[in-house]
Amino acid sequence: MPGIADRLALVHDAIAAAAARAGRVAADVQLVAVSKTQPPEAVLEALDAGQTLFGENRVQEAKAKMPLLPGRARWHLIGHLQKNKIRHALALNFDLIHSIDSFELARDVSRIADEAGLFPRLLLEVNVAGEGTKFGFPPERLRAQMEELLALDRIALDGLMCLPPLALRAEDSRKYFVALRELRDRLQTEFRVPLPQLSMGMSGDYTIAIEEGATLVRVGTAIFGERAGKTWKPVAGEGFDD
Ligand SMILES: *Cc1c(COP(=O)(O)O)cnc(C)c1O
């Protein structure tokens, strides 16, 4: 069975090939290795293979895992952020939070960042397929709220993120990636703001996302293997209530 280093190498090859197909530079695509449910040993194995950027989807798990890993690991929060976890999340100093999914959340993050003397970098999560069960701004609501979002002065809005419906075929995701890019282009023109980051694509469809402009791909399974039934908790699980 291939190890984490082998799988990382395959992912890098696939990123390079997808970027080349789209006439893009592979260096413009950042690989976020999604380490949720993975034990620190697996993250360390990836670090030793040269991967330094990791994505966690829960604040409590990240909080427990981050101190167990060397400082050269960089972290992104990619999962839904509950309002009562904002303070914890900001204290962890994620390089980027991908999942700001409502105006109210953005407003609360800005307020708490102000109190804490921080200036977090954020992406706005868009519900590209209009799924009732999904977090994220419906595209038209994002346009309507953009002015107010830009007025929040303790946050840096860096771009957009999406998590399209689970697709049977990777190609089925393409239209959603195109929609996210077009929405980004439109917001940039309409509101005269740079939104350089597009976080889109996971293990099943990251090469398609890169063809459509992804600058951040969030890849877990293709690097770490199947997560089915996996969870990770620190041995001394104190305060681990999530
Ligand atoms: C788990 C997760 C991923 C990675 O999924 P894989 O299919 O394992 O690559 C990407 N993005 C988010 C938001 C996730 O929660």
Side-chain angles (χ1 to χ4, degrees):
M1 212 183 79
I4 288 172
D6 302 313
R7 285 192 292 243
L8 258 174
L10 291 174
V11 170
H12 279 294
D13 288 349
I15 289 174
R21 280 196 298 279
R24 302 182 59 203
V25 190
D28 291 346
V29 181
Q30 274 192 286
L31 173 61
V32 183
V34 176
S35 51
K36 66 185 184 195
T37 79
Q38 304 296 340
E41 300 75 56
V43 179
L44 200 55
E45 209 178 318
L47 258 175
D48 287 342
Q51 176 66 29
T52 50
L53 179 56
F54 297 92
E56 287 283 336
N57 71 330
R58 296 162 105 183
V59 174
Q60 291 302 310
E61 184 176 342
K63 187 177 176 176
K65 200 178 291 181
M66 288 160 79
L68 304 176
L69 287 149
R72 67 180 191 279
R74 313 302 318 156
W75 300 89
H76 287 186
L77 181 67
I78 61 169
H80 173 64
L81 176 57
Q82 292 168 265
K83 288 204 177 139
N84 63 2
K85 298 253 163 57
I86 295 174
R87 220 169 278 278
H88 289 296
L90 293 185
L92 292 175
N93 268 310
F94 289 102
D95 281 3
L96 183 66
I97 299 176
H98 292 225
S99 41
I100 299 300
D101 49 26
S102 70
F103 172 75
E104 292 69 27
L105 182 64
R107 183 196 57 203
D108 289 1
V109 169
S110 185
R111 176 176 54 77
I112 293 170
D114 190 25
E115 290 166 19
L118 298 169
F119 189 64
R121 287 174 62 218
L122 312 175
L123 304 181
L124 301 169
E125 179 172 351
V126 179
N127 185 350
V128 275
E131 294 169 281
T133 54
K134 278 269 169 78
F135 292 112
F137 290 86
E140 283 313 311
R141 183 178 309 156
L142 179 53
R143 279 186 73 213
Q145 294 184 317
M146 199 63 196
E147 208 78 69
E148 278 181 292
L149 283 161
L150 291 168
L152 299 171
D153 58 4
R154 293 300 301 201
I155 57 175
L157 295 180
D158 249 9
L160 306 182
M161 178 268 218
C162 74
L163 194 67
L166 204 60
L168 284 177
R169 298 171 314 127
E171 270 298 329
D172 296 343
S173 302
R174 188 183 297 275
K175 61 176 179 293
Y176 299 114
F177 298 148
V178 170
L180 193 72
R181 184 190 66 227
E182 289 180 350
L183 176 63
R184 186 277 305 272
D185 293 349
R186 202 162 140 203
L187 294 173
Q188 286 193 144
T189 310
E190 208 170 327
F191 297 93
R192 297 171 194 281
V193 283
L195 296 166
Q197 304 291 346
L198 285 177
S199 169
M200 55 191 197
M202 318 197 329
S203 290
D205 53 17
Y206 66 96
T207 57
I208 310 265
I210 291 167
E211 289 172 16
E212 298 303 339
T215 61
L216 291 154
V217 289
R218 309 177 311 267
V219 178
T221 309
I223 296 170
F224 294 107
E226 289 295 337
R227 272 186 308 276
K230 256 193 189 173
T231 54
W232 175 79
K233 286 183 184 208
V235 180
E238 219 183 322
F240 200 82
D241 56 3
D242 187 8

